[in-house]
């Protein structure tokens, strides 16, 4: 999902990523994306803590950990918490059953996004005034005022002329 982070930065957003594995942390740093401090997740899950300046959280793995985290940290940030949906045939203990809005809808769950990326699909940024190519899916729209609005399981988005669209191409 580092490619998605770079696309969001290209769209003019400040991106902060966290990863648990050292190899993932190195890839984030190498890509030039700001790496969140290790204790940030512990702070986010503390019921008395509040993460100042965090306007939205996007949990981009489809595991039980992020399903639980999405419910625990939602009251500790200033904005919404989103997560990618679990596969329809998931046997996770928690992930298929927690609530919340699912990023990109149920058609673009994490393993499908990853498979497309591995086959050569890439993330693209384009002005909202341009028509969306038929072989691309809208993932986010960055509104003219800087707000990031994701496509979710319950909301589709049409970019306005002054917006920026973040898309995923086909393989």
């Amino acid at each position: 999902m580092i490619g998605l982070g770079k696309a969001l930065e290209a769209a003019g957003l400040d991106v902060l990523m966290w990863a648990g594995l050292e190899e993932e942390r190195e890839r984030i740093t190498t890509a030039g994306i700001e790496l969140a401090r290790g204790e940030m997740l512990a702070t986010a899950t503390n019921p008395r803590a509040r993460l100042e300046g965090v306007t939205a959280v996007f949990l981009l793995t489809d595991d039980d950990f992020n399903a639980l985290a999405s419910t625990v940290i939602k009251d500790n940030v200033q904005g919404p918490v989103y997560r990618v949906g679990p596969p329809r045939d998931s046997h996770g203990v928690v992930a298929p059953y927690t609530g919340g809005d699912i990023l990109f809808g149920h058609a673009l769950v994490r393993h499908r996004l990853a498979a497309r990326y591995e086959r050569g699909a890439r993330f693209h940024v384009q002005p909202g005034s341009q028509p969306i190519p038929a072989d691309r899916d809208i993932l986010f729209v960055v509104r003219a005022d800087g707000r990031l609005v994701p496509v979710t399981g319950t909301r589709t988005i049409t970019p306005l002329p002054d917006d920026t669209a973040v898309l995923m191409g086909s393989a």
Side-chain angles (χ1 to χ4, degrees):
M1 291 293 166
I2 292 171
L4 180 56
K6 294 302 290 179
L8 292 171
E9 285 185 336
L13 297 174
D14 291 329
V15 175
L16 178 67
M17 292 184 92
W18 182 88
L21 298 177
E22 189 58 35
E23 127 186 353
E24 293 169 337
R25 297 174 67 76
E26 287 176 15
R27 287 198 330 247
I28 291 168
T29 302
T30 300
I33 297 173
E34 186 178 352
L35 183 63
R37 298 180 320 273
E39 69 275 2
M40 180 176 233
L41 190 61
T43 300
T45 58
N46 179 343
R48 294 182 304 271
R50 193 91 177 120
L51 292 176
E52 296 299 321
V54 176
T55 57
V57 174
F58 299 91
L59 301 168
L60 299 174
T61 61
D62 58 4
D63 55 20
D64 284 341
F65 176 81
N66 278 341
L68 286 171
S70 69
T71 61
V72 171
I73 66 175
K74 69 180 179 190
D75 295 327
N76 297 2
V77 297
Q78 294 173 326
V81 177
Y82 301 98
R83 65 183 183 93
V84 293
R88 288 208 187 274
D89 58 350
S90 174
H91 296 291
V93 176
V94 176
Y97 307 106
T98 56
D101 229 351
I102 301 295
L103 279 173
F104 320 133
H106 292 285
L108 285 176
V109 295
R110 170 100 173 56
H111 74 282
R112 288 189 182 144
L113 285 169
R116 276 173 68 174
Y117 193 83
E118 288 173 11
R119 289 192 313 268
R122 292 298 177 255
F123 300 102
H124 304 274
V125 176
Q126 74 175 45
S129 58
Q130 294 181 359
I132 305 299
D135 67 336
R136 296 188 180 173
D137 291 302
I138 300 174
L139 302 179
F140 299 98
V141 168
V142 180
R143 295 291 185 203
D145 65 3
R147 287 180 300 120
L148 179 65
V149 182
V151 170
T152 67
T154 60
R155 176 181 56 212
T156 57
I157 303 172
T158 301
L160 300 173
D162 291 336
D163 293 341
T164 301
V166 178
L167 315 168
M168 178 155 207
S170 61

